Amino acid sequence: MNRRQVLAGAASIPLLSAIPAQRRAAPPPVTLNWLEGTPGAAATSTWGTPWPKGEVPAGTSFQLTAPDGSAVPMQSWPLAYWPDGSLKWSGHAAAPSVPADSYALAAGVPAEPAIAVTVKSHRDYVDVDTGVIRARIPRRGREIISHLWRGDSEIARQGVLVSLRQERIEEDEERAAPRERCESVIHKVSLEQHGPVRAVVRIEGRHGKWLPFTVRLCFFAGAESVRMMHTFVYDRDGSRDYIAGLGVRFQVPMRDAAYDRHIRFAGEGAGLLAEAVKGITGQRRDPGSAIRAAQIAGTKLPDPSTWDQRVTTRLQYIPEWGDYTLSQLSAEGFTIQKRTKHGYGWVQVDQGRRASGLGYVGGVTGGVAFGLRDFWQRHPTQLDIRGAHTDLAEVTVWLWSPAAGPMDMRFYHDGMGQDTYAEQLEGLNITYEDYEPGFGTPYGISRTSELTLWALAATPTAERFGAMAAQVRTPPQLVNPVGHLVAARVFGGLFSPVDRSNPAKAVIEDHLDFLFAYYQKQVEQRHWYGFWNYGDIMHTFDEDRLVWRYDVGGYAWDNSELSPDLWLWYAFLRSGRADIFRFAEAMTRHTGEVDVYHLGKWAGLGTRHGVQHWADSAKQQRISTAVYRRMYYYLTADERTGDLLTELVDSDRTFLVLDPIRKIRTEPYTPDPHALSIGLGTDWSGLAAAWLAEWERRGPKADLARSKLLGTMETIGAMPNGFVTGSGLYDLDTGRFAPVTAKTVSVSHLSAMFGQVEICAEVIDLVGQPAFEVAWLQYCRLFNATKAEQAAECGVDFGNLILKQGHARLTAYAAVRLNDAALATRAWRDFYTGDGYAPDLPWASRRVSTTLNPTDAAVWVSTNTTALYGLSAIQCLALVGDQIS
């Protein structure tokens, strides 16, 4: 790309780095709280805090203070900047050993940890020391962690990634296809943070010859744990090479006598399996009550010479149980079994419903605990312990259990004769699925899993193990108060706190609460769980079968259709509710990874809603858009989500390889890098969100992204009909749309419904481009206007449009920007009388017992309407709430 040409279009606007921030009085402290309440044990957390424009100069340092006035060690870094150069979002990390109920974040000198986390880089490896544990990370080879020490004791070694590759899926269940075991091969190790409170090591490689991976190891000062973020990309097309197992494996030195070695598994809630490798309880002869109590507690037993000798002299006849497996093959059940050693029979231990995903193996002189977040939600999962009776035990945390069979990524039908565009459009008209041969491929999708390893000095107590399990299930998260989020005017200022100050507002708030609670119940009752599915929701309900249309084309998995991601995040921003945050977090993890391509020719595009997350042939910006990820990134400072934002910066180049409207074009079209047809709605808003994220984060392509964002804004503003024009010819080299001379009208009900409202509000608030704002306000004013008003201003009317309730927030936005009371009144009329949810609906669900499982049903609820109702309600309340009647 000719960089000079790209930058020339916005050369008159000074670069971010050239604008000094104006120094002002320090902003007041921000009170931070724990999302789910104060953790019961030592905790680590990273988070982001926003700052109003111009208030915090770049380079400001921050301090963290507990309610008693004590300084808390904290590490800070910039996440984003305002165009004037002042800090927009700051990232922070803390690791309190005794968490306080709240903290005050303010400008100041940060406290240093008593013992800082340190990183020492060598030619062949990197050593990270938290002051409690130390890890060695090789720069090449197969091990992601070669050694994990606590003090002078080696707790674990030879940590590798493992996968089982199965070339084909046997349709004859009596025949088993062979499996090949593959291990990690390290290609690159880099340091992303180096302390003093938090250090992050990034490891990139492949599982042998397939499945590219990125692993991040996060270490905190004074912590005895390592957080591991494991991301892999599926690099097969679904026709061969299936994952039959995917996990993390490491070895654990066993130093203690067999009766002082212990196994722990966390069950559901406070449930706990606690056993010794050689159990001395329940035997025919009693070693003594103190001996039995010590083994149950996991503490060191006295010398066997002090026991009842009828036990001591027969210890060799008590079996040693070396192998344990906990398998969670569905959301509704796990099993635990054990055996003495390889080659001997398994004994069933117990069963349960939903395991916490935490295990431990070790002894009274130390051991390792290992946890996998969302363990039952992302089934099939498994925890394996092997050889605990030997000098070297082996632990495998399976992200995909080998007991579940191969991961079937094949497309679900044979095409049914849809070989031409005309036939595919006919298929679309019956199943709502946009099929095209070769497009229903999983090649390039990804998934990120979160693991935690603890290097422990001794077998943990039941109380300590329970606290660890709670943190595996729900990692501690510090959050900002709603009032501060509102005052900072981030994300376009399109939200306000929950408000029940008058009856009309209270009814809307009740409706919003009902809709969220309904989807919460649907996830649970309809079992929207599983490795690839968890985090997504269904699109449309089948009123006859009383199930969601999981098997009907485009009515199945939603894949971000009409922005449920935004509805949930705005709902959290205005309420601070933990349950909404976790729902939105799971959705962001899913939609940003599974529904989007990260490799191949479609990298940077997402897949439209369908029976499989990758099935539909519509690969589009509207699904991959950065606007769905930015909120989670800034609230948590999560590096993986930052990767997703970075991946999208150059996604304008995808228009060279795929025409989004190829099936309905009436004129010949060949993609030209200097004249790419790009829609001004779902296409441009997705590109603009990625460019804005790169610019405000000061990424490596920040100046280029800024130029493209401002260049396209300027050229859209110059079009006679602005956004109403519908599309433009975009030049990859200049980052601008070609001039348009004639008034053209091409308006879709979908154009503004995938983050365009939010991104336009934000960029208008950020940069002064009056013509762009005029163009956007025209679109906002006219979408729900009369046909006569549309034609009078644009030459012709917009035709028959739908989603008028969803567009009420556009009317509200125009009302505020133009200070137009009549538009504010119309916004509420559009909201109440549009084609969405009416006030006189039942606003309740009913219990249905004729389905497979008893469920709650509200047949009038669909995800499209819910998302748009939620966003319109939230934004109308924020913008024109005082005009509600």
Side-chain angles (χ1 to χ4, degrees), residues 558-578:
D558 189 69
N559 286 29
S560 295
E561 180 71 4
L562 295 184
S563 305
D565 317 59
L566 287 177
W567 160 52
L568 291 167
W569 280 121
Y570 276 109
F572 167 74
L573 292 171
R574 66 191 303 266
S575 69
R577 284 175 50 178

PDB file of all heavy atoms in Angstrom, residues 558-578:
ATOM      1  N   ASP A 558     -27.473 -17.030  16.588  1.00  0.00           N
ATOM      2  CA  ASP A 558     -27.672 -15.626  16.227  1.00  0.00           C
ATOM      3  C   ASP A 558     -26.431 -14.966  15.628  1.00  0.00           C
ATOM      4  O   ASP A 558     -26.555 -14.094  14.765  1.00  0.00           O
ATOM      5  CB  ASP A 558     -28.110 -14.840  17.467  1.00  0.00           C
ATOM      6  CG  ASP A 558     -28.544 -13.433  17.118  1.00  0.00           C
ATOM      7  OD1 ASP A 558     -29.597 -13.289  16.478  1.00  0.00           O
ATOM      8  OD2 ASP A 558     -27.821 -12.479  17.449  1.00  0.00           O
ATOM      9  N   ASN A 559     -25.238 -15.313  16.111  1.00  0.00           N
ATOM     10  CA  ASN A 559     -24.003 -14.740  15.553  1.00  0.00           C
ATOM     11  C   ASN A 559     -24.037 -13.209  15.493  1.00  0.00           C
ATOM     12  O   ASN A 559     -23.698 -12.615  14.475  1.00  0.00           O
ATOM     13  CB  ASN A 559     -23.722 -15.295  14.153  1.00  0.00           C
ATOM     14  CG  ASN A 559     -23.216 -16.728  14.172  1.00  0.00           C
ATOM     15  OD1 ASN A 559     -23.538 -17.495  15.060  1.00  0.00           O
ATOM     16  ND2 ASN A 559     -22.422 -17.106  13.183  1.00  0.00           N
ATOM     17  N   SER A 560     -24.460 -12.582  16.577  1.00  0.00           N
ATOM     18  CA  SER A 560     -24.456 -11.108  16.715  1.00  0.00           C
ATOM     19  C   SER A 560     -25.475 -10.401  15.836  1.00  0.00           C
ATOM     20  O   SER A 560     -25.408  -9.171  15.698  1.00  0.00           O
ATOM     21  CB  SER A 560     -23.058 -10.524  16.430  1.00  0.00           C
ATOM     22  OG  SER A 560     -22.124 -10.948  17.384  1.00  0.00           O
ATOM     23  N   GLU A 561     -26.415 -11.091  15.257  1.00  0.00           N
ATOM     24  CA  GLU A 561     -27.378 -10.438  14.377  1.00  0.00           C
ATOM     25  C   GLU A 561     -28.142  -9.352  15.123  1.00  0.00           C
ATOM     26  O   GLU A 561     -28.770  -9.589  16.156  1.00  0.00           O
ATOM     27  CB  GLU A 561     -28.349 -11.475  13.803  1.00  0.00           C
ATOM     28  CG  GLU A 561     -29.408 -10.914  12.869  1.00  0.00           C
ATOM     29  CD  GLU A 561     -28.827 -10.455  11.520  1.00  0.00           C
ATOM     30  OE1 GLU A 561     -27.615 -10.644  11.296  1.00  0.00           O
ATOM     31  OE2 GLU A 561     -29.597  -9.927  10.705  1.00  0.00           O
ATOM     32  N   LEU A 562     -28.079  -8.145  14.611  1.00  0.00           N
ATOM     33  CA  LEU A 562     -28.732  -6.958  15.138  1.00  0.00           C
ATOM     34  C   LEU A 562     -28.264  -6.600  16.545  1.00  0.00           C
ATOM     35  O   LEU A 562     -28.996  -6.015  17.328  1.00  0.00           O
ATOM     36  CB  LEU A 562     -30.260  -7.079  15.065  1.00  0.00           C
ATOM     37  CG  LEU A 562     -30.817  -7.136  13.638  1.00  0.00           C
ATOM     38  CD1 LEU A 562     -32.324  -7.151  13.636  1.00  0.00           C
ATOM     39  CD2 LEU A 562     -30.297  -5.990  12.794  1.00  0.00           C
ATOM     40  N   SER A 563     -27.045  -6.993  16.865  1.00  0.00           N
ATOM     41  CA  SER A 563     -26.276  -6.415  17.982  1.00  0.00           C
ATOM     42  C   SER A 563     -26.735  -6.753  19.395  1.00  0.00           C
ATOM     43  O   SER A 563     -26.801  -5.875  20.262  1.00  0.00           O
ATOM     44  CB  SER A 563     -26.215  -4.884  17.835  1.00  0.00           C
ATOM     45  OG  SER A 563     -25.700  -4.506  16.600  1.00  0.00           O
ATOM     46  N   PRO A 564     -27.013  -8.017  19.696  1.00  0.00           N
ATOM     47  CA  PRO A 564     -27.261  -8.338  21.112  1.00  0.00           C
ATOM     48  C   PRO A 564     -26.039  -8.068  21.976  1.00  0.00           C
ATOM     49  O   PRO A 564     -26.170  -7.772  23.174  1.00  0.00           O
ATOM     50  CB  PRO A 564     -27.619  -9.831  21.084  1.00  0.00           C
ATOM     51  CG  PRO A 564     -27.009 -10.357  19.819  1.00  0.00           C
ATOM     52  CD  PRO A 564     -27.103  -9.220  18.843  1.00  0.00           C
ATOM     53  N   ASP A 565     -24.842  -8.156  21.391  1.00  0.00           N
ATOM     54  CA  ASP A 565     -23.623  -7.836  22.138  1.00  0.00           C
ATOM     55  C   ASP A 565     -23.700  -6.421  22.703  1.00  0.00           C
ATOM     56  O   ASP A 565     -23.393  -6.181  23.880  1.00  0.00           O
ATOM     57  CB  ASP A 565     -22.382  -7.927  21.229  1.00  0.00           C
ATOM     58  CG  ASP A 565     -22.375  -9.127  20.314  1.00  0.00           C
ATOM     59  OD1 ASP A 565     -23.321  -9.254  19.500  1.00  0.00           O
ATOM     60  OD2 ASP A 565     -21.407  -9.913  20.358  1.00  0.00           O
ATOM     61  N   LEU A 566     -24.095  -5.466  21.862  1.00  0.00           N
ATOM     62  CA  LEU A 566     -24.179  -4.077  22.306  1.00  0.00           C
ATOM     63  C   LEU A 566     -25.280  -3.883  23.336  1.00  0.00           C
ATOM     64  O   LEU A 566     -25.114  -3.139  24.310  1.00  0.00           O
ATOM     65  CB  LEU A 566     -24.415  -3.156  21.109  1.00  0.00           C
ATOM     66  CG  LEU A 566     -23.227  -2.940  20.171  1.00  0.00           C
ATOM     67  CD1 LEU A 566     -23.638  -2.058  19.004  1.00  0.00           C
ATOM     68  CD2 LEU A 566     -22.051  -2.331  20.915  1.00  0.00           C
ATOM     69  N   TRP A 567     -26.414  -4.519  23.116  1.00  0.00           N
ATOM     70  CA  TRP A 567     -27.504  -4.428  24.102  1.00  0.00           C
ATOM     71  C   TRP A 567     -26.998  -4.842  25.480  1.00  0.00           C
ATOM     72  O   TRP A 567     -27.218  -4.141  26.488  1.00  0.00           O
ATOM     73  CB  TRP A 567     -28.678  -5.308  23.653  1.00  0.00           C
ATOM     74  CG  TRP A 567     -29.625  -5.662  24.758  1.00  0.00           C
ATOM     75  CD1 TRP A 567     -30.232  -4.807  25.638  1.00  0.00           C
ATOM     76  CD2 TRP A 567     -30.068  -6.973  25.116  1.00  0.00           C
ATOM     77  NE1 TRP A 567     -31.017  -5.517  26.516  1.00  0.00           N
ATOM     78  CE2 TRP A 567     -30.940  -6.837  26.217  1.00  0.00           C
ATOM     79  CE3 TRP A 567     -29.830  -8.251  24.602  1.00  0.00           C
ATOM     80  CZ2 TRP A 567     -31.561  -7.934  26.816  1.00  0.00           C
ATOM     81  CZ3 TRP A 567     -30.446  -9.344  25.189  1.00  0.00           C
ATOM     82  CH2 TRP A 567     -31.301  -9.182  26.285  1.00  0.00           C
ATOM     83  N   LEU A 568     -26.298  -5.955  25.546  1.00  0.00           N
ATOM     84  CA  LEU A 568     -25.834  -6.457  26.837  1.00  0.00           C
ATOM     85  C   LEU A 568     -24.785  -5.541  27.457  1.00  0.00           C
ATOM     86  O   LEU A 568     -24.818  -5.256  28.664  1.00  0.00           O
ATOM     87  CB  LEU A 568     -25.279  -7.866  26.672  1.00  0.00           C
ATOM     88  CG  LEU A 568     -26.325  -8.938  26.343  1.00  0.00           C
ATOM     89  CD1 LEU A 568     -25.649 -10.230  25.893  1.00  0.00           C
ATOM     90  CD2 LEU A 568     -27.219  -9.191  27.548  1.00  0.00           C
ATOM     91  N   TRP A 569     -23.831  -5.062  26.650  1.00  0.00           N
ATOM     92  CA  TRP A 569     -22.794  -4.216  27.222  1.00  0.00           C
ATOM     93  C   TRP A 569     -23.346  -2.878  27.681  1.00  0.00           C
ATOM     94  O   TRP A 569     -22.973  -2.373  28.750  1.00  0.00           O
ATOM     95  CB  TRP A 569     -21.636  -4.026  26.244  1.00  0.00           C
ATOM     96  CG  TRP A 569     -20.710  -5.206  26.236  1.00  0.00           C
ATOM     97  CD1 TRP A 569     -20.373  -6.001  25.182  1.00  0.00           C
ATOM     98  CD2 TRP A 569     -20.000  -5.739  27.369  1.00  0.00           C
ATOM     99  NE1 TRP A 569     -19.507  -6.997  25.577  1.00  0.00           N
ATOM    100  CE2 TRP A 569     -19.260  -6.857  26.916  1.00  0.00           C
ATOM    101  CE3 TRP A 569     -19.918  -5.385  28.717  1.00  0.00           C
ATOM    102  CZ2 TRP A 569     -18.451  -7.616  27.761  1.00  0.00           C
ATOM    103  CZ3 TRP A 569     -19.119  -6.142  29.566  1.00  0.00           C
ATOM    104  CH2 TRP A 569     -18.393  -7.240  29.092  1.00  0.00           C
ATOM    105  N   TYR A 570     -24.250  -2.272  26.912  1.00  0.00           N
ATOM    106  CA  TYR A 570     -24.856  -1.028  27.383  1.00  0.00           C
ATOM    107  C   TYR A 570     -25.707  -1.273  28.627  1.00  0.00           C
ATOM    108  O   TYR A 570     -25.764  -0.430  29.533  1.00  0.00           O
ATOM    109  CB  TYR A 570     -25.688  -0.378  26.280  1.00  0.00           C
ATOM    110  CG  TYR A 570     -24.872   0.475  25.332  1.00  0.00           C
ATOM    111  CD1 TYR A 570     -24.623   0.076  24.027  1.00  0.00           C
ATOM    112  CD2 TYR A 570     -24.331   1.686  25.749  1.00  0.00           C
ATOM    113  CE1 TYR A 570     -23.860   0.854  23.166  1.00  0.00           C
ATOM    114  CE2 TYR A 570     -23.571   2.475  24.901  1.00  0.00           C
ATOM    115  CZ  TYR A 570     -23.332   2.053  23.602  1.00  0.00           C
ATOM    116  OH  TYR A 570     -22.569   2.828  22.769  1.00  0.00           O
ATOM    117  N   ALA A 571     -26.341  -2.445  28.695  1.00  0.00           N
ATOM    118  CA  ALA A 571     -27.111  -2.785  29.893  1.00  0.00           C
ATOM    119  C   ALA A 571     -26.204  -2.871  31.104  1.00  0.00           C
ATOM    120  O   ALA A 571     -26.580  -2.458  32.213  1.00  0.00           O
ATOM    121  CB  ALA A 571     -27.856  -4.104  29.683  1.00  0.00           C
ATOM    122  N   PHE A 572     -24.989  -3.412  30.916  1.00  0.00           N
ATOM    123  CA  PHE A 572     -24.063  -3.447  32.047  1.00  0.00           C
ATOM    124  C   PHE A 572     -23.562  -2.057  32.396  1.00  0.00           C
ATOM    125  O   PHE A 572     -23.495  -1.680  33.581  1.00  0.00           O
ATOM    126  CB  PHE A 572     -22.866  -4.350  31.742  1.00  0.00           C
ATOM    127  CG  PHE A 572     -21.756  -4.156  32.747  1.00  0.00           C
ATOM    128  CD1 PHE A 572     -21.889  -4.660  34.030  1.00  0.00           C
ATOM    129  CD2 PHE A 572     -20.625  -3.418  32.425  1.00  0.00           C
ATOM    130  CE1 PHE A 572     -20.898  -4.430  34.986  1.00  0.00           C
ATOM    131  CE2 PHE A 572     -19.634  -3.194  33.369  1.00  0.00           C
ATOM    132  CZ  PHE A 572     -19.766  -3.705  34.660  1.00  0.00           C
ATOM    133  N   LEU A 573     -23.174  -1.273  31.404  1.00  0.00           N
ATOM    134  CA  LEU A 573     -22.605   0.044  31.670  1.00  0.00           C
ATOM    135  C   LEU A 573     -23.558   0.907  32.492  1.00  0.00           C
ATOM    136  O   LEU A 573     -23.118   1.711  33.320  1.00  0.00           O
ATOM    137  CB  LEU A 573     -22.283   0.747  30.353  1.00  0.00           C
ATOM    138  CG  LEU A 573     -21.139   0.161  29.517  1.00  0.00           C
ATOM    139  CD1 LEU A 573     -21.080   0.827  28.152  1.00  0.00           C
ATOM    140  CD2 LEU A 573     -19.806   0.302  30.237  1.00  0.00           C
ATOM    141  N   ARG A 574     -24.851   0.759  32.298  1.00  0.00           N
ATOM    142  CA  ARG A 574     -25.814   1.611  33.000  1.00  0.00           C
ATOM    143  C   ARG A 574     -26.280   1.007  34.319  1.00  0.00           C
ATOM    144  O   ARG A 574     -26.917   1.686  35.125  1.00  0.00           O
ATOM    145  CB  ARG A 574     -27.016   1.893  32.099  1.00  0.00           C
ATOM    146  CG  ARG A 574     -27.859   0.681  31.781  1.00  0.00           C
ATOM    147  CD  ARG A 574     -28.856   0.979  30.671  1.00  0.00           C
ATOM    148  NE  ARG A 574     -29.730   2.087  30.972  1.00  0.00           N
ATOM    149  CZ  ARG A 574     -30.934   1.950  31.520  1.00  0.00           C
ATOM    150  NH1 ARG A 574     -31.396   0.760  31.830  1.00  0.00           N
ATOM    151  NH2 ARG A 574     -31.683   3.001  31.744  1.00  0.00           N
ATOM    152  N   SER A 575     -25.987  -0.285  34.545  1.00  0.00           N
ATOM    153  CA  SER A 575     -26.488  -0.936  35.757  1.00  0.00           C
ATOM    154  C   SER A 575     -25.382  -1.427  36.687  1.00  0.00           C
ATOM    155  O   SER A 575     -25.585  -1.514  37.903  1.00  0.00           O
ATOM    156  CB  SER A 575     -27.370  -2.134  35.382  1.00  0.00           C
ATOM    157  OG  SER A 575     -26.590  -3.183  34.812  1.00  0.00           O
ATOM    158  N   GLY A 576     -24.234  -1.803  36.114  1.00  0.00           N
ATOM    159  CA  GLY A 576     -23.171  -2.389  36.915  1.00  0.00           C
ATOM    160  C   GLY A 576     -23.461  -3.792  37.386  1.00  0.00           C
ATOM    161  O   GLY A 576     -22.745  -4.314  38.254  1.00  0.00           O
ATOM    162  N   ARG A 577     -24.459  -4.439  36.808  1.00  0.00           N
ATOM    163  CA  ARG A 577     -24.869  -5.763  37.282  1.00  0.00           C
ATOM    164  C   ARG A 577     -23.872  -6.843  36.858  1.00  0.00           C
ATOM    165  O   ARG A 577     -23.503  -6.955  35.688  1.00  0.00           O
ATOM    166  CB  ARG A 577     -26.257  -6.106  36.750  1.00  0.00           C
ATOM    167  CG  ARG A 577     -27.379  -5.384  37.455  1.00  0.00           C
ATOM    168  CD  ARG A 577     -28.728  -5.642  36.823  1.00  0.00           C
ATOM    169  NE  ARG A 577     -29.003  -7.052  36.608  1.00  0.00           N
ATOM    170  CZ  ARG A 577     -30.149  -7.522  36.100  1.00  0.00           C
ATOM    171  NH1 ARG A 577     -31.105  -6.656  35.750  1.00  0.00           N
ATOM    172  NH2 ARG A 577     -30.329  -8.799  35.927  1.00  0.00           N
ATOM    173  N   ALA A 578     -23.504  -7.692  37.831  1.00  0.00           N
ATOM    174  CA  ALA A 578     -22.535  -8.752  37.566  1.00  0.00           C
ATOM    175  C   ALA A 578     -23.087  -9.796  36.610  1.00  0.00           C
ATOM    176  O   ALA A 578     -22.359 -10.308  35.750  1.00  0.00           O
ATOM    177  CB  ALA A 578     -22.126  -9.411  38.880  1.00  0.00           C
TER     178      ALA A 578
END
